[in-house]
Amino acid sequence: MSEIVYVKCPTCQTQVAWLPENAHRPFCSEKCQLIDLGEWASENRTIVAQANWHDLDD
Ligand SMILES: [Zn+2]
């Protein structure tokens, strides 16, 4: 009853064991987690900027 589930790190595609001691899952490391969060944040800012442009047009 100890089947280990593996997931792929969204950032670098490394296989990561889904274990409670892996604090950064599904990422392989804190570094990859921060990279992914950074990309999400910059993408989010782009969407907000586009929304602001539409507000100016109106
Ligand atoms: Zn990674």
Side-chain angles (χ1 to χ4, degrees), residues 2-35:
S2 60
E3 188 176 323
I4 298 173
V5 175
Y6 288 91
V7 296
K8 277 190 178 177
C9 171
T11 303
C12 70
Q13 309 303 310
T14 298
Q15 285 222 317
V16 182
W18 190 273
L19 298 170
E21 57 263 41
N22 182 359
H24 304 295
R25 67 189 189 279
F27 303 94
C28 66
S29 65
E30 184 180 19
K31 187 181 149 192
C32 279
Q33 186 177 34
L34 291 174
I35 289 169

Side-chain angles (χ1 to χ4, degrees), residues 37-53:
L37 288 172
E39 288 182 359
W40 180 87
S42 61
E43 192 174 311
N44 194 43
R45 276 199 296 273
T46 303
I47 292 167
V48 170
Q50 287 171 349
N52 286 341
W53 274 109

